[in-house]
Amino acid sequence: MLSVENITVCYGQMKALREVSLEVSTGQMVALIGANGSGKSTLINAISGLVPIAGGEITWEGQTLKGLTPDNICREGIIQVPEGRKLFPAMTVEENLIMGAYHPNVRKQAQESLQKVFSTFPRIADRRRQFAGSLSGGEQQMVALGRALMAKPRLLMLDEPSLGLSPKAAAEIFDIIRGLNKEGMTILLVSQEVMQTLAITTYGYVLENGVLALKDSCDRLLEDPKVKTSYLGL
Amino acid sequence: MDAVLIIQSLISGIMMGMVYALLGVGFSLTWGVMHVINISHGAFGLLGAYMAYSLLQYFGVDPIVSAAVSVPLLFLVACGIYQLLIRPITRAQNVVMASMILTFGLAIILENVMAIIWKADPRVLTPTYSSGALILGPFYFQYPHVVGFGLSLAGITAIYLFLKKTYTGMAVRAAWQQPEAARLYGVNLYWISMITFALAVSTAGAGGICLALLNSFEPHSHNLWLINLFLVVIVGGVGNVIGTALAGLIIGVITGLSMAFLPFLWVNLVTFGLLMIFLIFRPHGIFKQEGI
Ligand SMILES: Nc1ncnc2c1ncn2[C@@H]1O[C@H](COP(=O)(O)OP(=O)(O)OP(=O)(O)O)[C@@H](O)[C@H]1O
Ligand SMILES: [Mg+2]
């Protein structure tokens, strides 16, 4: 479905990614792990079209994404929940969600999707008229997820959805993500919670300093000595 | 002091304040959404005023009617200016500074063009109802002021509803609050910037017409208007529409009262003194940054 082939991304002189490749197929949930600064966000921002790629190619259902701007990529159904949530703080919860259905393909179904999101996240339904900036971290993450669901993603990319959350709130978010995948959603999950992430995904990629260090099924990654020492602290 | 005079100048102040609010909202939006401080905002307002003046003078078209033509026209002109001048500089390192220099130049060009076309003499808008007045008990309001007030109230309400109720308006707010996330959900920032800029310029035109119903104007009047705009936006908070509208009212009232009770030369001293005080003590405005 999505295939990233040997992409290189530079910020000025610095190469943040070097010839990285990755595949996600329909219905799969793939993990992308790596230490701070290893280039995980850069990779999904490159897929979203936020950062230009200096080499290599990203293809989506056989078509190249080259030259497409983020709004066009969003229209393709490739939807990102950005790191740090990036909600619209002075807009209400409901307005944030409605903005998720901004692109014309899904706008007509906005009200329907809204009801669905509210039934998935009853907690934020109660706060629909509150400013998003005034919610707790866990609630904000739910709004961020809800906003993404409003866009009817065909590929959902989550960048550290549990960042800054309490263990309880993080577990709740992971449950929701697993549920979405069970219902058939294709997911690319970036996370520092290596144990929890590898437990719910089927295949994983490990980035190290902008280079792909490992890729394997999650069962085998969990057994890998390098993963054990570097990411699981075992 | 005379209570009637106080209330009279208070209400006159509110009327004038509403006009400043209308002018200020657009100024605040381009600043907040695009980081463009449009020094030519007042000059575009003045252009609206002159267009209304000519249409009234030579064709007898009432300013309200002509606004229905000139405001959309300004919208289109602004789209062109955005593509030609503003869009290229939004790639600059320091957009705020680049935009100020560019639009400062634009303001000077506009001022000179207006001086050539309409001459340097002060002008007044004198629609048919200009000598009439609304008399409510002991209070007395000239019709042009009432009309200017009504028009600016309508303008602000329209902007508010646009930002609050339409998808494009919501995208404008989203792009201001969190541009990256807005892009991720399908907002084309260039398109939204163009709409914002054009909306701001066209409402400046409407505001200029309203202001011209209240005061006389000449080609350099926009400089004074601009200072008042800065004051309104700084008091109200950049990008905060409701705050800007309220700030317009507050400043209108202060100006109204000082015009009634202070020698004329003191009026600007009071408003500019206020600007300084705000910049020192409340650079983010008096309202919470949240709002629209
Ligand atoms: N906009 C930018 N300009 C310059 N350098 C950047 C930019 N964004 C990221 N970098 C650099 O690129 C490298 C990769 O960053 P990236 O954010 O992709 O890492 P990450 O794996 O997501 O890290 P984290 O776990 O902390 O989120 C880092 O060295 C970072 O400093
Ligand atoms: Mg990151």
Side-chain angles (χ1 to χ4, degrees), chain A residues 80 86 88 90 95 98 107, chain B residues 164 167 173 177 181 185 291:
Chain A
Q80 179 187 152
K86 300 212 162 85
F88 309 115
E95 287 173 333
I98 292 288
R107 206 178 274 186
Chain B
K164 200 73 188 163
Y167 253 108
R173 290 155 64 206
Q177 293 173 24
Y185 287 92

Side-chain angles (χ1 to χ4, degrees), chain A residues 41 83 159-160:
Chain A
S41 300
E83 187 172 4
D159 196 349
E160 311 216 13

Side-chain angles (χ1 to χ4, degrees), chain B residues 117-186:
Chain B
I117 300 179
W118 286 286
K119 308 289 176 275
D121 313 314
R123 305 285 178 188
V124 276
L125 275 188
T126 46
T128 45
Y129 44 80
S130 55
S131 53
L134 179 69
I135 297 163
L136 293 172
F139 306 115
Y140 170 96
F141 306 104
Q142 291 166 292
Y143 274 133
H145 291 206
V146 178
V147 169
F149 170 73
L151 194 56
S152 31
L153 186 62
I156 288 185
T157 312
I159 297 178
Y160 180 80
L161 291 176
F162 165 73
L163 290 171
K164 200 73 188 163
K165 300 285 179 208
T166 70
Y167 253 108
T168 310
M170 291 220 305
V172 170
R173 290 155 64 206
W176 156 54
Q177 293 173 24
Q178 186 50 263
E180 198 172 294
R183 294 177 77 194
L184 285 174
Y185 287 92

Side-chain angles (χ1 to χ4, degrees), chain A:
Chain A
M1 189 179 215
L2 177 85
S3 129
V4 174
E5 288 155 48
N6 299 317
I7 66 160
T8 298
V9 172
C10 304
Y11 293 116
Q13 291 296 311
M14 198 207 55
K15 277 198 175 138
L17 289 180
R18 259 172 232 267
E19 314 213 331
V20 172
S21 301
L22 172 149
E23 298 265 344
V24 185
S25 43
T26 310
Q28 218 186 2
M29 175 143 66
V30 171
L32 177 61
I33 58 180
N36 291 114
S38 57
K40 306 180 296 295
S41 300
T42 302
L43 179 53
I44 70 169
N45 284 338
I47 298 171
S48 282
L50 282 177
V51 298
I53 58 176
E57 193 161 44
I58 302 173
T59 53
W60 169 248
E61 304 190 315
Q63 305 263 319
T64 177
L65 294 181
K66 192 167 273 171
L68 293 190
T69 50
D71 48 305
N72 289 321
I73 290 173
C74 159
R75 204 165 291 198
E76 292 292 322
I78 302 177
I79 304 297
Q80 179 187 152
V81 179
E83 187 172 4
R85 304 180 274 270
K86 300 212 162 85
L87 296 179
F88 309 115
M91 287 168 86
T92 64
V93 166
E94 186 166 329
E95 287 173 333
N96 267 273
L97 294 173
I98 292 288
M99 273 312 291
Y102 177 80
H103 69 88
N105 301 354
V106 296
R107 206 178 274 186
K108 281 198 191 69
Q109 295 111 284
Q111 282 309 321
E112 212 182 298
S113 313
L114 192 66
Q115 293 318 316
K116 222 159 120 192
V117 167
F118 280 151
S119 63
T120 316
F121 305 103
R123 274 246 294 289
I124 60 173
D126 300 337
R127 291 171 172 67
R128 62 168 77 189
R129 307 239 177 278
Q130 230 166 294
F131 282 127
S134 71
L135 301 185
S136 77
E139 289 160 355
Q140 288 196 13
Q141 189 60 54
M142 288 180 188
V143 177
L145 252 169
R147 181 175 64 178
L149 295 178
M150 294 288 293
K152 298 203 176 287
R154 298 177 56 215
L155 169 66
L156 181 62
M157 303 191 291
L158 300 145
D159 196 349
E160 311 216 13
S162 61
L163 192 73
L165 300 190
S166 70
K168 188 166 164 278
E172 208 174 327
I173 293 291
F174 274 105
D175 272 347
I176 293 165
I177 294 168
R178 186 167 48 186
L180 287 172
N181 177 245
K182 281 237 171 72
E183 287 166 23
M185 178 93 62
T186 312
I187 295 176
L188 176 59
L189 175 58
V190 172
S191 179
Q192 306 259 19
E193 308 277 353
V194 175
M195 191 64 119
Q196 266 170 305
T197 305
L198 293 181
I200 62 171
T201 49
T202 49
Y203 202 83
Y205 292 82
V206 181
L207 273 178
E208 248 170 38
N209 293 322
V211 181
L212 198 64
L214 277 172
K215 56 170 184 174
D216 214 332
S217 74
C218 292
D219 307 334
R220 263 179 297 192
L221 282 179
L222 279 168
E223 294 305 316
D224 189 282
K226 198 162 157 194
V227 173
K228 273 187 171 166
T229 49
S230 314
Y231 301 103
L232 298 174
L234 299 175

Side-chain angles (χ1 to χ4, degrees), chain B residues 13-38:
Chain B
I14 288 177
M15 289 181 161
M16 186 155 51
M18 194 55 86
V19 179
Y20 278 129
L22 177 59
L23 276 162
V25 165
F27 187 62
S28 177
L29 273 178
T30 39
W31 187 343
V33 175
M34 306 162 64
H35 306 287
V36 165
I37 298 186
N38 184 5

